[in-house]
Amino acid sequence: MQNTLEKKEKNQKEFELEGLNCSNCALKIENQVKNLEGMENVELNFATSTLKVAAEESRLEKIKDELQNISDRIEPGVKVKDKSNNQNKKNDNNSSLKSYLWEKKNIFIGALFFAFALSFSHLNIFANTVFNTLALPAYITAYFLIGYPVLKSAVLNIGRGQIFDENFLMVIATIGAFGIREYPEAVAVMLFYMVGELFQERAVNNSRRSIKDLMDIQAEYANLVKDEEIIKVEPEQLNVDDLIAVKAGEKIPVDGKIVSGETALETSALTGESLPKDVAEGDQVLSGMINLNKLITVKVTKEYKDSTVKKILELVENASSKKAPTEQFITKFARYYTPFVVLSAALVAILPPLFTGAAFSPWFYRALVFLVVSCPCALVVSIPLGFFGGIGLASKNGILVKGGNYLEALNELDSIIFDKTGTLTEGDFKVTEVNIYSDHSREEILNIAAEAEQFSNHPIAQSIVEAAGDYKKHSADSDYQEISGAGIKAVLGNNQILAGNERLMQKNNINFQKSKNSGTAVYLAQNGEFLASIIISDQLKKDAVEAILSLKKMGIKNLAMLTGDNKLTAADVASKLGLDNFYAELLPDQKVKKVEELLSNSKKLAFVGDGINDAPVLARSDLGIAMGGLGSDAAVEAADVVLMTDEPSKIVTALNIAAKTKKLVWQNIIMALSIKAVVMILSILGMASMWAAVFADVGVALMAVFNVMRILQTDNI
């Protein structure tokens, strides 16, 4: 499994390709950049118009002009911008429709010439001489004004040996129409193709903007508190231990800890949860959260590059570079599909007149219609955007999917294996029972245990300290020993205290009474005498039972749990949840071995974990899902799907989004191929015109893109 949380290297640079709306062109640009001398790594993300290149620093300093030249050759109008330049951080996607149309004014001027020519063509009072003098030049002028971008791209591509693309098909079809004196149709086809391209370009940009708006969680500035003054700085300038003021309505710029004040935070951008979260002094806060009502002062705990918001942005921006199998298939399909259709069109034009003696002109026209239909735009544009739309919808719901391949893999799961603590249970341990085998009271037992546990940061130790009353405090240099995998041995005052599991009792020859209750048992002994067993229990998460039930209904055949806890506790949790199986008392390396064993009997297996000790298992499984993963950097890096909250029900949401995305993508594929196939057949039969062909190309592409935009607006998952 590839680690998708990529760290930026010193010799890596990012560029924005503004105006790149053709995924075929994006692929060509990426391939040509890869062939440049000194390029170590090249990755073009069409969904975010971002090109990442890695090379030696001296090479990167000169690369921008070369990238612009390549873009000009392949897709004229694309502007290459350095994303590291602060002036280019904000993409001007919000340009008005008026200014956008002004950039395309040649198309509308050409349309006026076309209307002028049509007026002469349909008035019989003019002789052919007048037509040739006025109308024909108007048709030709209109054709070149409207179709200049297509003509230029086709000529440049032919010069580079890149013949079979949509520009070539349009030029051949329209010039052929001129050749058989179908002047109005030749210009009309180019006009409607270009107008369709304009709408498609706008639709793609709107779809991109919808996706980027979901990721608009980054604060533009931070209020640095320095010498009792507030200085406005960029989040990147903050250092660990800096103090920042966050006013009502502002986004928290970096991760930190509240040192003064209390407020409510909106966390929906991170977690998908609509309810505000109340916080006060001492609480941790994450970048991207919005302060709703009161001023708070926050101490920075992570630099911007390591903060939550930066990780999220990197995860989502990198997501579409991990192509799903369906995307890879369509890319290869389009590569062979277009040459095949060109050959078929040539056969349509030549074979019938050759073998039947039919007139050449009608069959040539049918072949031209066939060519226009064959453009694969609807497929190569809508499929990548379909997967990125699904990734965007998941992000909107607090689920980070690191690539289209992982989104598609969610549809193939038949086994989901869960960690227990912090995944299916709250991970919030509480003392639920004290079984006494001595003359001490419950309060005395808890105080003795707390004396020994006060130096430990383990959640179980902390739960005992919290449950105790007025226990005796000891200095940090006390005779204290934490024994890995066993418990604590401490000599405090004149007493030797043991607090731990069965192994600790057996190792010290303590005659103890083994607990038969579910929960984690901490056995307590003092000066060789067994005093009591303290039962620590962890509660099931509120939505855990419902989540497991929903997963079963969705057809997941094997739902199991791996845990390092004892068999009695594991059995109790598995029974309450209705899991198919459980495996208890496992160390981290044993969890990996168990997952490897389960992998051999599964079509596709996902492991769900929450902590640093789960990272090896997350990495080994077919699909790693990090629960509450932002609490552990290792879990985020190892997982393929990161849940911003620690709710098991989010897995159900992720599966529903994956299914919805798959349905959308295949709807687009089937719609595009079906309409094209019908129009191709009709064109061969002489029952389809150029108008139908343009609809089957650009019209279907538009429908597919609008279909993608629809998934981003949905709330019913």
Side-chain angles (χ1 to χ4, degrees), residues 10-13 15 32-42 53-70 73 82:
K10 292 181 180 179
N11 60 346
Q12 182 168 291
K13 204 164 189 177
F15 296 91
Q32 289 212 13
V33 176
K34 284 179 180 177
N35 292 330
L36 291 176
E37 184 181 352
M39 291 296 103
E40 296 175 13
N41 185 47
V42 176
V53 293
E56 291 183 5
E57 197 65 39
S58 58
R59 182 76 178 90
L60 289 177
E61 291 173 2
K62 307 172 185 176
I63 193 69
K64 183 181 175 182
D65 290 340
E66 294 179 64
L67 296 179
Q68 187 65 65
N69 291 335
I70 291 173
R73 291 199 305 268
D82 188 344

Side-chain angles (χ1 to χ4, degrees), residues 49 126 157 254 266 351 362 410 417 445 464 469 512 530-531 624 654 713:
S49 306
F126 292 105
N157 288 342
V254 293
E266 181 185 324
L351 293 183
L410 282 165
I417 312 301
I445 291 294
I464 292 174
F512 69 102
F530 177 58
L531 301 182
Q713 307 304 323

